[in-house]
Amino acid sequence: SANALALNDSNLVKKWYDWSGNNHYGLQLDDELKPYLMNQVGLVFNEDQLTLSELHSKLDSSNITIVTIYRSNKSDTSIITSRSKETPENYPWIVSKTKFSSSTADTITYQQDHNHIDLKHIQILRFNTTTMDSFFNGRQKSTSFTTLDNTDRISLGDDPTEEKRYGGTIDEVLIFNKSLTDSDIIKL
């Protein structure tokens, strides 16, 4: 919704407000990297990015849940990434179009179907101390999980290689500082 955004004169997103009241808003100061708002569609990213301010300092990297609703026009692009505090070139976790991966080599992949570009999708990634669960359009997969590095920055649309920056729309991003139960996830 436009109420959740601060836009510049060109309809580019300067800030995506955090409605939880914790001031963990998305921010982009560089006009070249700002996504734009397309009414009735969502935030449009064309290799743009937003950094989620100060959120990293509040997260327990072993117990979080990330929810994204998106529609992508590019194959295998990074929707949400985190950057390691100890080793800035390391990305503790990456949520991409059909894959969830972590720096500890834990990965969950979904096969892309022929409707993937045409539809909105919901992805939920849950880290729960020793298990990483993902829910992709209702399909659940799990894998073992090793504790990740502390996160220094969380970004929407960024990519460690800069070759897979996000292209598409993002309607919603929810990040919980706990591992939601299956019952909590169903209520979303």
Side-chain angles (χ1 to χ4, degrees), residues 45-171:
F45 287 75
N46 186 17
E47 299 188 4
D48 308 306
Q49 65 188 52
L50 288 172
T51 298
L52 302 177
S53 174
E54 299 301 316
L55 178 60
H56 64 276
S57 63
K58 308 287 193 275
L59 290 179
D60 172 0
S61 59
S62 298
N63 287 293
I64 60 176
T65 305
I66 303 164
V67 179
T68 56
I69 299 173
Y70 74 95
R71 179 177 171 175
S72 181
N73 56 7
K74 294 175 82 175
S75 60
D76 198 31
T77 60
S78 298
I79 300 170
I80 305 176
T81 59
S82 64
R83 189 175 293 238
S84 170
K85 185 178 285 187
E86 292 82 15
T87 315
E89 66 276 358
N90 190 7
Y91 283 67
W93 46 263
I94 298 173
V95 178
S96 64
K97 188 172 170 180
T98 56
K99 181 168 50 175
F100 302 102
S101 52
S102 75
S103 59
T104 58
D106 305 310
T107 302
I108 296 175
T109 304
Y110 288 90
Q111 184 170 345
Q112 184 168 298
D113 65 30
H114 66 283
N115 291 321
H116 200 87
I117 291 176
D118 300 328
L119 304 172
K120 287 189 180 181
H121 303 280
I122 183 167
Q123 291 182 342
I124 302 172
L125 179 61
R126 174 177 62 193
F127 297 104
N128 184 5
T129 310
T130 59
T131 306
M132 181 170 69
D133 295 306
S134 73
F135 303 82
F136 179 76
N137 293 336
R139 295 179 292 164
Q140 181 180 4
K141 289 187 177 183
S142 301
T143 188
S144 60
F145 166 69
T146 333
T147 302
L148 301 173
D149 294 345
N150 289 326
T151 299
D152 184 47
R153 184 179 80 198
I154 297 173
S155 298
L156 303 177
D158 196 10
D159 178 68
T161 64
E162 297 195 12
E163 294 174 7
K164 295 182 180 180
R165 285 194 170 171
Y166 185 64
T169 62
I170 297 177
D171 290 11

Side-chain angles (χ1 to χ4, degrees), residues 9-29:
D9 293 337
S10 301
N11 215 32
L12 299 176
V13 177
K14 297 188 295 188
K15 188 185 286 187
W16 189 351
Y17 292 107
D18 170 16
W19 286 4
S20 73
N22 294 314
N23 291 324
H24 300 146
Y25 48 82
L27 181 66
Q28 180 52 262
L29 300 176

